[in-house]
Amino acid sequence: MDLYGKIKEIADNDGVEFVGVADLTPARLFIKEYARDLLDEYPKSITLGIRLLDDVVDQLSTEMDKPEAVNYLHAYEVTNQRLDIVSYKISNFLQKEGFRVLPIPASKRCDDERIAAVFSHKLAAHLAGIGWIGKSCLLINPEAGPRVRWITVLTNAPLEVTGSPMEDSCGECNKCVEVCPAKAFTGRTFHANEPREVRYDARKCEEYFNKLEKSGEIPVCGLCIHVCPHGQRD
């Protein structure tokens, strides 16, 4: 079995539904803004994705009660934990094969000013041909929409790229923009040469969550995931 086949086997055994490999070189300048010189050592990325439970996402609303908020937060955290574990299993395998690996946590902030992680899981998934980046700045997969949590393993293993970036299919839809209680999205479509700030103000989301917490509510939203037509059940 080749390297990718073994990676896919490990992922499948842990319930990972989406696996892809990307060459990060085309996004070098963007990545360097956040991750400095990571690409010098890790030119390839392995993307892993697990779909959130539809019944949990479907319960999200502008007036959700505490049980629904707790369910969503729990599903979000458990899915991230599952991804963190499988990413380390794959990393351990590749290290034993003699390659360098750097698993990026599923949901850990490293830059409080930009409110961002050290690396964009969504960008890696986009470059691997798994989906496009929508107006919500989320990765939109044709089958699951934005209802997926992602993680990335950076490596120098000689893996074949699994696909190419998908074209945007959001069209004229602005449901995620309109539903956002923080008004954090501008409605502008993704362009690789533009900074995230022209599409999304992360500070507005941060302030909205802080406001919820101060009022005694659970800081949960997810409405942009809930309303996206892509991934919704018929």
Side-chain angles (χ1 to χ4, degrees), residues 124-233:
H126 176 56
L127 293 174
I130 297 175
W132 68 92
I133 296 177
K135 295 175 184 177
S136 60
C137 284
L138 297 173
L139 194 285
I140 313 296
N141 173 266
E143 301 169 11
R147 300 178 173 216
V148 182
R149 295 297 301 155
W150 304 100
I151 201 167
T152 312
V153 175
L154 302 180
T155 184
N156 66 347
L159 297 164
E160 293 292 327
V161 172
T162 55
S164 56
M166 289 186 183
E167 291 188 10
D168 184 294
S169 294
C170 292
E172 298 299 317
C173 178
N174 283 300
K175 289 186 176 182
C176 60
V177 179
E178 294 164 357
V179 78
C180 178
K183 304 302 178 187
F185 307 120
T186 66
R188 186 172 178 81
T189 55
F190 172 77
H191 297 281
N193 62 340
E194 292 182 337
R196 183 187 66 172
E197 289 71 25
V198 303
R199 294 172 284 117
Y200 170 57
D201 187 340
R203 187 66 57 188
K204 288 184 177 180
C205 268
E206 177 95 338
E207 292 170 351
Y208 177 71
F209 286 133
N210 288 340
K211 182 179 177 181
L212 288 176
E213 202 162 17
K214 287 179 181 178
S215 65
E217 297 182 58
I218 298 174
V220 164
C221 184
L223 294 177
C224 53
I225 298 173
H226 172 76
V227 301
C228 182
H230 299 281
Q232 288 187 356
R233 295 181 292 187

Side-chain angles (χ1 to χ4, degrees), residues 5-16:
K6 182 59 179 178
I7 289 169
K8 190 72 167 56
E9 180 182 71
I10 295 171
D12 288 345
N13 287 340
D14 275 61
V16 174

